[in-house]
Amino acid sequence: MRCLARLTAFSYFSIAEAERHHAGARKGQMLRLQGIAVSPGVAIGEALVLDNEGFRIPRRFVSRDGVEVELERLAQAIQDTVDEIEVNRQRIAERLGDDYGAIFSAHIQMVNDPRLREELEASIRERHYSAEYAVSRVLRRYAKVFQSLEGPHLAERASDIFDIEKRLLKRLLGERREELAHVTSPVLVLARSLTPSETASMKPEFVRGFVTEIGGPGSHTAIVAEGLGIPAVVGAGSFLSDVSGGETVIIDGDEGVVILRPNEETLARYRHEVDEQLSLMARLSTLKDLPCETREGYRISLLGNIEFPSEAALCLDRGLEGVGLYRTEFLYLTRTDIPTEEEHYEAYREVTIAMGGRPVVMRTLDLGADKLSMIPQPEDENNPFLGLRSIRLALKHVDLFRTQLRAILRASVHGDVRIMFPLISNVLELRRARMVLADAMEDLEERGIAFDREIKVGMMVEVPSAVVMMDRFVEEVDFFSIGTNDLVQYALAVDRSNKDVAALYTSADPSVLRLVKMAIDAADAADKPISMCGQMSGAPLYTMLLIGLGLRTLSVTPAAALEVKRVCRSTTFEHCQSVAQRALELESARDVKTYLREELQRLLPDQPI
Ligand code: PEP
Ligand code: MG
């Protein structure tokens, strides 16, 4: 019954009618979106839209001579699309009856709508748009018209238009998915979502920033954006239907704001901001070779977080003293088969040699099964962050784990390599991981291959249970690194990659501060080194607090290094201690943030916060 009621809505409602009903279609006006700031800086540029299926919709004009060819391409794409829908219509009508087939008849009418065709052809003939650009522009405008209509089911028609757009684009672009890696002119990427590996494939000289409709502040996509040093905003809500590509966009990665089609005044304001950023960066670059220490000479060791071997150079470029977190799982993310021991080894050797004797902390595989196409998917993975991920996955697929450990051990002869296990939540789990490491050592010994027998073994502190049990863990490892990205999500029960709970996801929560302090105090009491490598350690807002809590090593995204160093060099240890003491007395994340902002503002009035 419900189904049939819905079907009656599929009788054809022409585009011309829709436009007549549509009083105030927004056309080309400025649109401001609020999302979540995940990578600082401001970028201004041309939009490149990546929809769900990864189609790139380029702004492309054709020469006068190319117009006829484009018109033919369009006509052919329309004909092919109509044929394809007709085949679907017949198949469905045969199986389910004509009422269902009517859905597709309406689609065919839409594709054949004379008004639509007229406008598409006019865009090509008069404006010299390419066929795909014309399709994207015109159909998205129609979709907006339908979206704005009141009345049952009419707004839903917008999704039919998107469907038709997708079919036409597929015909026009073929299966050619223009990978982000192949972008060769400066753009800002606008997407529904981006995977960490898609983000990682972006070349910062061309992809100057991105914004996604979904995604939360702690997602790896956000972290990779910061690694690339490009402004990024995630979780901006649905907006892709408002753009077709080629429009001017501003991404404000400091405030989490995205502005589509800015007016002149807004553009001028943001251009001024970009100029200011450039002059701040120039001033910061003078700090590169200066030591990271407070005004009275209290030394802080600044290390870098990397995802790819090539980023080792970035660490050196920013004057970092080593790699405090190498997220080795990115080796798996960019491929569909299992990396061999040799491939692991090559990557680890490259980083180790590049770092020239400086410490390199290699964190072992930290992925959920959902991200690994090469292993069987668990059946009950309803809560991937609580499921078979990270060290748990490694211990279940011991062969995979041992292969990686052998490769790390082999790389250890090239420098100061250390091993770190992620997501340790109990002592037995750590012991099991160490046993696999012992097996890997034995394998190498049998093969007569050299490695560092005294290699330091550490663990991440990123599960509250690990903090609580620190007094036991100190007996079992050589060092610790606090992973606040996960610690925050597990302590506060907030999914780090969900935009709808992003406001709750914050390192400033007093419970997080207490957990961090507990971990540092326990490690200090046993004289075991402890550092931090979560995003909190690279945010200048927290630098004084973290030093005051007792951290002497911070591992940060290379792009954040100089700002953190600037805070260190501007303050004193005594002041940091008083900041930490005061922050620990506060009772809400809001109070903590306000207080830390005031302190940072006082210290560095020109620091963007
Ligand atoms: C963390 O959890 O803080 C961390 C550094 O690891 P990842 O972000 O890779 O989970
Ligand atoms: Mg983590």
Side-chain angles (χ1 to χ4, degrees), residues 47-51 55-57 140 188 190 240 243-245 247:
L48 184 151
V49 178
L50 211 72
D51 72 9
F55 283 116
R56 177 185 171 198
I57 304 163
R140 272 166 196 247
L188 302 187
L190 277 49
L240 285 184
V243 280
S244 47
E247 296 97 326

Side-chain angles (χ1 to χ4, degrees), residues 216-345:
S219 62
H220 276 138
T221 297
I223 289 169
V224 173
E226 219 189 335
L228 292 172
I230 58 175
V233 172
V234 299
S238 299
F239 66 89
L240 285 184
S241 59
D242 277 304
V243 280
S244 47
E247 296 97 326
T248 300
V249 179
I250 298 172
I251 296 179
D252 179 346
D254 297 313
E255 300 294 329
V257 167
V258 179
I259 298 171
L260 306 176
R261 299 177 290 269
N263 58 27
E264 274 311 314
E265 189 196 332
T266 311
L267 256 181
R269 189 157 45 82
Y270 274 100
R271 283 196 180 120
H272 178 67
E273 213 161 292
V274 170
D275 288 344
E276 287 201 332
Q277 272 179 7
L278 288 174
S279 80
L280 179 65
M281 270 159 64
R283 273 182 288 143
L284 283 174
S285 66
T286 61
L287 299 180
K288 190 193 130 191
D289 297 318
L290 298 177
C292 185
E293 60 187 20
T294 61
R295 287 201 333 241
E296 73 273 54
Y298 178 87
R299 284 278 288 153
I300 300 297
S301 189
L302 263 194
L303 308 172
N305 293 349
I306 65 168
E307 281 80 40
F308 297 97
S310 57
E311 290 174 298
L314 217 59
C315 293
L316 296 175
D317 187 53
R318 301 291 165 121
L320 293 168
E321 296 162 45
V323 171
L325 170 68
Y326 175 12
R327 290 185 166 97
T328 60
E329 60 276 7
F330 275 78
L331 193 65
Y332 299 83
L333 282 179
T334 44
R335 52 194 295 156
T336 49
D337 57 343
I338 297 177
T340 61
E341 182 180 318
E342 219 45 41
E343 285 165 329
H344 277 288
Y345 169 68

Side-chain angles (χ1 to χ4, degrees), residues 218 220 223 305 325 327 329 363 366 389 460 462 482-487 496 533-535:
H220 276 138
I223 289 169
N305 293 349
L325 170 68
R327 290 185 166 97
E329 60 276 7
R363 186 197 45 202
D366 184 10
R389 61 170 290 214
M460 295 206 52
E462 51 185 352
I482 305 172
T484 45
N485 304 340
D486 277 316
L487 189 59
R496 62 193 264 187
C533 60
Q535 296 303 94

Side-chain angles (χ1 to χ4, degrees), residues 13-290:
F13 186 83
S14 82
I15 285 162
E17 272 174 278
E19 286 208 306
R20 274 200 298 281
H21 280 70
H22 176 61
R26 289 179 303 178
K27 234 184 10 185
Q29 69 210 34
M30 181 165 107
L31 200 61
R32 186 180 188 281
L33 310 160
Q34 182 66 55
I36 304 160
V38 292
S39 181
V42 169
I44 303 173
E46 198 176 274
L48 184 151
V49 178
L50 211 72
D51 72 9
N52 278 344
E53 291 177 4
F55 283 116
R56 177 185 171 198
I57 304 163
R59 170 175 220 163
R60 198 160 69 78
F61 294 95
V62 292
S63 66
R64 193 176 298 276
D65 296 346
V67 164
E68 282 311 313
V69 174
E70 285 311 284
L71 287 170
E72 276 165 31
R73 286 181 69 224
L74 176 71
Q76 191 61 52
I78 290 176
Q79 190 53 54
D80 290 347
T81 302
V82 167
D83 292 348
E84 180 186 71
I85 302 173
E86 177 56 23
V87 170
N88 285 344
R89 190 195 68 73
Q90 283 176 17
R91 200 180 299 140
I92 294 294
E94 272 164 30
R95 279 179 53 198
L96 302 172
D98 284 341
D99 280 343
Y100 285 87
I103 296 171
F104 293 95
S105 303
H107 279 197
I108 291 173
Q109 275 179 289
M110 237 184 250
V111 184
N112 276 329
D113 188 295
R115 169 101 191 240
L116 171 68
R117 204 163 177 144
E118 222 172 80
E119 193 170 336
L120 286 171
E121 289 177 355
S123 305
I124 295 174
R125 202 168 273 124
E126 289 156 25
R127 300 189 183 187
H128 293 189
Y129 285 175
S130 68
E132 51 267 35
Y133 187 54
V135 163
S136 176
R137 288 285 297 225
V138 172
L139 282 161
R140 272 166 196 247
R141 192 171 71 73
Y142 285 153
K144 293 291 330 162
V145 170
F146 277 110
Q147 272 177 341
S148 68
L149 289 177
E150 288 189 11
H153 308 305
L154 285 178
E156 278 179 27
R157 191 61 54 81
S159 60
D160 297 339
I161 299 216
F162 285 130
D163 186 57
I164 289 168
E165 182 205 10
K166 222 168 262 175
R167 286 176 193 272
L168 285 170
L169 286 176
K170 201 178 251 173
R171 293 282 163 193
L172 288 164
L173 295 166
E175 292 305 320
R176 186 187 69 166
R177 288 181 51 152
E178 300 235 12
E179 302 291 341
L180 284 167
H182 298 147
V183 174
T184 51
S185 58
V187 289
L188 302 187
V189 170
L190 277 49
R192 173 82 184 140
S193 68
L194 290 168
T195 64
S197 48
E198 277 173 332
T199 313
S201 71
M202 295 175 177
K203 293 201 181 86
E205 65 267 40
F206 299 127
V207 178
R208 299 280 170 83
F210 73 76
V211 46
T212 60
E213 292 190 323
I214 58 175
S219 62
H220 276 138
T221 297
I223 289 169
V224 173
E226 219 189 335
L228 292 172
I230 58 175
V233 172
V234 299
S238 299
F239 66 89
L240 285 184
S241 59
D242 277 304
V243 280
S244 47
E247 296 97 326
T248 300
V249 179
I250 298 172
I251 296 179
D252 179 346
D254 297 313
E255 300 294 329
V257 167
V258 179
I259 298 171
L260 306 176
R261 299 177 290 269
N263 58 27
E264 274 311 314
E265 189 196 332
T266 311
L267 256 181
R269 189 157 45 82
Y270 274 100
R271 283 196 180 120
H272 178 67
E273 213 161 292
V274 170
D275 288 344
E276 287 201 332
Q277 272 179 7
L278 288 174
S279 80
L280 179 65
M281 270 159 64
R283 273 182 288 143
L284 283 174
S285 66
T286 61
L287 299 180
K288 190 193 130 191
D289 297 318
L290 298 177

